[in-house]
Each structure stands twice: as C-alpha cells, then as structure tokens.
Amino acid sequence: MRWKTLGVVALATGLIGNDVSAFGTTQSLRPVIRPGSEVLPQVENVAASEVIVRPKLRPSDLAGAPIPAVTQAASNPGFERWIKGFERRARAQGIRNETLRAAFNGVEYDRDVIRRDRNQSEFTKTIWDYLDSAASNTRIANGKAALKRHQTTLAAIEKRYGVEKEVVVAVWGLESAYGTYRGKNDIVQSLATLAYDGRRGAFFEEQLVAALKILQNGDTSPRNMTGSWAGAMGHTQFIPTSYLDYAVDFTGDGRRDIWADDPTDALASTAAYLKNFGWVKGQPWGVEVQLPGGFDYALANRKITKSPAQWARLGVVGTNGRAVPNHGKASVLLPAGGQGAAFMIFKNFSVIERYNTADAYVIGVGHLSDRIKGGPAIKASWPRGDRALTFSERKEMQQRLTRAGFSTQGVDGKIGPKTIDAVRNYQRSQGLAPDGYASLSLLKRLR
C-alpha cells in the first residue's frame, strides 16, 4: 500500500532517494516513506500466535458493537462540525447511517496523531542503521520461527499466488514484527483526525470512506479496526483502499480478517498484492555485486538495465567473482554511493517497492527474506562514520546545489533521482567520483 492507496510504519522521510521509473513502476500504493514509520519494531522471543476463529460480522451488527473508551483525544468543536459535513459526503458514496453512527460513536479529535504526523520529516536513519535492525539476528531468528510455525499455511499461500513464503514472512517481520506490533490506534478516529487536519485531507478522507466500506461489508467491527496512527491495519499494515482492492479471505470464513491473531488472511493478502503487481517467482529482488575499479557511476541508474551477462562484461559480478545468473534485465543500485554495498536489482525490486517506495525498505524486505532462507549477510562495508542528513540539511543541499547551477528542480527535502543527478553533476565539476551520494561532507563542501 501506499500514497494513492496504502500507508504506514517503517522509516523516516527522505531516508534514501529512489527512482520508481525502472521496470514501468508508476505511483506506488504507499507513501514514499509512510507516515507512522519512524519506529521499526524489534521484538525479542516472539511467541507463537494463537489461532482465533471469529464469527462472521454482518453489517446489521455494526450498530450494536461495543465502544471502548478512546484515548489520546480531545474535544474539538471544529472537528465535530467537520464530521457532520463528512457524513453527508460519505452518504453520497453509499455509506449508510447505521454504519456512520457505529463508526463515529465515541470518536474524538486525536492530538497525538497530529503531533506524530507533524514530527515525521525530521526523523532520519542511514541505510546501514536501518538494515542492522531490519535484518538483525533477532528478526532473522523470529522469522525462521514464524516460517516454521505457519509452514502449512505459507506453503498453501505460495502455491496459490506464486510468491515465495520467505518474502511474505519478511514483509510481516518488517511491518509488525511478526504480528506483535500491529498498532492500537482507532483507525476511524485517526483517519478522521488527519482528514480534518487538512494537510493531506483528500487522501485521508479517501481512506476514511474506504474504512467505512470495510465496516459496512462486515469484515470487522468499528473498535476492532485498529492499527497505526496513520491508518495502516493488521499484520502487514494495509491501508483501507489497498485492503478493499487486494485483501483476500484465504480462510474461507466469509471475512477478510487481517486483524485477528491468526495471520492467515493478512499473509495471503500480502501475497495477492505482490502477485497483482507482477511478482516473478524464482527471481531475486536483487543480488549483492562487486564493481570494477574505475566503474562509471553514471551507469548506476534505475533507468539503465542490462542482462547479468552484459553487466559482467563491464566488470560487475557477484561477490563470488562470477557473473550473476540470468534472472532478466537488471540495474545497479548504490544506496550509499561508491562507499557502500552495490546491488544488481531485478523486476521484483520494483514489485516490493509498490508496498513502500523507500529503497531501504525494499532492500530490508529482500535481504531479510534471503537471511530467513539461509542466505549470507551483506559482505560490503558501509560508510558508518557518516550520519544521515536532517530534513533541513537535505533542503539546504538542494538549495545550494541549485544556486551553484545544478538544479534539483525543487526543494522538498527528499533525495530522489533529480537531486541525485544534481549531486552527480556537481561531483563531476569538482573532480569527485560521481556516485550521487548526498553526504554531510558534500554539504559541507557546498557551504
């Protein structure tokens, strides 16, 4: 899920610049880096999930659903007026009065949600720090345990959707630490607060209407619909619009229940989502590679794809010194420039990217899945002496590059392909290796 249609929990705004044009990827269904993602859950000794069989909830049951107390909220007359107006718009989209009454019973303006939304942009993390957590020994061990615990279900999901079980488990591990960190926010309250706030009101109102459709369909009850403060739900953190489009009832009980302790529907929904966007079974997301001396860094561009054999002729080979097996066209990715690991990435990279467009997230899912499968750790070192640029520093870099004649075509604090191109052009002008790495040392040079 993503910014047109999912959103949620993993990194910080502007962590890694990414180019989603490769392999035909258009707008992802999640935010570039999802709201609510400043904390990557890390859980020790995750216990086995107890399977819970819940009765099917019918739409007529909504009005009688129990309403527990809602926390972190405050009375706000403007918010209450907004709800009245929203209800008229929701009715025009087919939401019934009984659904609205049940959904908004006890809902109030949530100041904590706004505080967290406002504070996102300053959170930053280097890719190596992120991967240290994403593929930590604990997360790998817990992933292997989860794979074993749910092996029959995961094998059936892989057979139906053609998505490797280790990849599904890795998404689960990053999104909710294998179901132990699913979020406890009231989704209707969070989405209503964010829609009323107006900064991204249209998007969150769309999500709120979708959440009401889920309730009206009887998949869950209003106060059982919990998740992250930004509206992501369940074991693998679907936002409502993505849920409506891609969630599946794999258990056959008549509901697409991604909230239950039993993760079956959530895991199957994740596989269905990846399949929908073109997952190629048997193809890796990427492979760590070695670059030759004097490598032309301009070739490390998502728009430039070659076969592994063609890359090998240019000296780009696997860590074993041999050509990477032919898994199809691939491009070279340098998430930390020439000073860090290099990857040859394939179409499945862009498929995971539809879940979350941050390069670090995609590498995190891919690498964790490899480790769960028994693969090796990343061999190359990282520039661990560097720290991540803050949001204000990223904006400053864009401003200084543009003033120096290397336009970033906008100042938004996001290190994307246009900023990377500007960095490369500046590096060339200074006789530096044009690897596009937006580092603190480069910012100091621009100053």
Side-chain angles (χ1 to χ4, degrees):
M1 293 228 188
R2 174 197 122 140
W3 228 204
K4 168 191 172 226
T5 100
L6 180 86
V8 231
V9 183
L11 305 179
T13 303
L15 172 64
I16 296 293
N18 50 297
D19 180 343
V20 296
S21 60
F23 311 114
T25 301
T26 57
Q27 185 181 33
S28 169
L29 295 182
R30 280 182 177 250
V32 172
I33 296 178
R34 299 162 302 174
S37 63
E38 63 268 24
V39 178
L40 181 65
Q42 177 69 323
V43 177
E44 302 282 344
N45 301 320
V46 176
S49 298
E50 180 181 354
V51 176
I52 294 179
V53 180
R54 301 181 187 272
K56 179 178 179 181
L57 181 73
R58 296 174 176 80
S60 59
D61 297 331
L62 286 169
I67 310 296
V70 178
T71 59
Q72 297 288 352
S75 176
N76 185 313
F79 178 64
E80 293 163 9
R81 287 193 297 272
W82 178 87
I83 288 176
K84 296 298 183 185
F86 167 77
E87 287 177 339
R88 291 193 295 272
R89 297 190 294 276
R91 289 188 195 97
Q93 297 181 64
I95 304 301
R96 296 190 293 269
N97 286 334
E98 60 266 28
T99 303
L100 290 165
R101 282 196 301 270
F104 283 99
N105 190 339
V107 166
E108 297 180 344
Y109 181 76
D110 195 330
R111 290 174 177 167
D112 187 59
V113 164
I114 299 304
R115 177 189 63 79
R116 297 177 74 175
D117 183 56
R118 292 287 186 270
N119 289 340
Q120 281 194 100
S121 62
E122 285 302 326
F123 285 103
T124 55
K125 209 170 196 180
T126 62
I127 185 168
W128 48 92
D129 286 337
Y130 178 76
L131 292 176
D132 285 348
S133 178
S136 68
N137 290 337
T138 297
R139 203 178 299 271
I140 293 165
N142 288 341
K144 290 179 178 179
L147 183 65
K148 182 177 181 180
R149 188 162 60 247
H150 300 282
Q151 57 184 329
T152 301
T153 295
L154 287 162
I157 290 171
E158 180 175 332
K159 182 177 180 180
R160 181 175 301 183
Y161 298 107
V163 179
E164 286 81 353
K165 54 187 176 297
E166 294 85 1
V167 173
V168 175
V169 170
V171 172
W172 188 23
L174 289 196
E175 293 296 348
S176 68
Y178 310 107
T180 64
Y181 195 88
R182 285 172 262 170
K184 298 179 180 179
N185 286 71
D186 183 290
I187 291 297
V188 172
Q189 178 166 290
S190 292
L191 291 176
T193 297
L194 289 163
Y196 164 71
D197 178 61
R199 192 164 73 91
R200 289 167 291 171
F203 169 77
F204 285 112
E205 181 163 324
E206 178 188 17
Q207 298 309 313
L208 181 55
V209 171
L212 295 174
K213 290 179 179 178
I214 294 168
L215 295 173
Q216 193 158 275
N217 291 340
D219 285 300
T220 190
S221 63
R223 303 291 81 85
N224 189 56
M225 183 183 274
T226 56
S228 81
W229 64 264
M233 309 177 299
H235 288 264
T236 53
Q237 298 287 278
F238 274 68
I239 60 170
T241 47
S242 288
Y243 175 100
L244 287 178
D245 289 341
Y246 305 109
V248 298
D249 172 20
F250 200 77
T251 63
D253 68 353
R255 295 185 302 142
R256 300 180 290 175
D257 190 353
I258 64 173
W259 301 271
D261 287 344
D262 176 6
T264 298
D265 282 356
L267 299 178
S269 296
T270 296
Y273 181 92
L274 295 173
K275 177 187 177 182
N276 181 79
F277 287 104
W279 186 265
V280 179
K281 188 173 184 182
Q283 182 189 75
W285 64 274
V287 176
E288 187 181 2
V289 293
Q290 303 177 81
L291 303 180
F295 177 73
D296 180 2
Y297 288 109
L299 295 174
N301 187 318
R302 292 286 298 277
K303 296 178 182 178
I304 298 174
T305 62
K306 301 178 184 295
S307 70
Q310 290 173 318
W311 282 117
R313 286 195 286 273
L314 294 172
V316 180
V317 294
T319 55
N320 59 7
R322 297 192 293 272
V324 172
N326 184 17
H327 297 293
K329 292 286 188 178
S331 55
V332 171
L333 178 68
L334 304 176
Q339 303 176 66
F343 301 95
M344 187 180 295
I345 58 173
F346 297 88
K347 179 183 177 181
N348 279 346
F349 186 99
S350 69
V351 177
I352 300 172
E353 204 168 37
R354 299 304 292 258
Y355 220 94
N356 183 320
T357 64
D359 285 351
Y361 176 87
V362 181
I363 296 169
V365 167
H367 185 52
L368 177 58
S369 70
D370 291 344
R371 298 301 308 280
I372 291 172
K373 195 180 292 186
I378 293 170
K379 294 184 177 180
S381 60
W382 298 101
R384 291 184 179 271
D386 289 0
R387 69 162 174 81
L389 296 176
T390 66
F391 181 66
S392 59
E393 286 172 337
R394 294 193 298 272
K395 291 179 68 175
E396 181 189 353
M397 177 172 283
Q398 291 172 323
Q399 291 166 342
R400 290 183 180 277
L401 282 167
T402 299
R403 284 201 295 266
F406 306 93
S407 177
T408 59
Q409 300 182 48
V411 176
D412 59 5
K414 299 175 184 178
I415 308 300
K418 294 175 182 177
T419 299
I420 290 172
D421 285 345
V423 168
R424 279 183 170 145
N425 290 333
Y426 173 76
Q427 288 170 323
R428 288 190 188 95
S429 76
Q430 299 294 303
L432 305 172
D435 61 5
Y437 180 41
S439 64
L440 180 61
S441 62
L442 190 76
L443 176 58
K444 288 179 178 178
R445 190 181 187 104
L446 281 162
R447 288 170 175 166

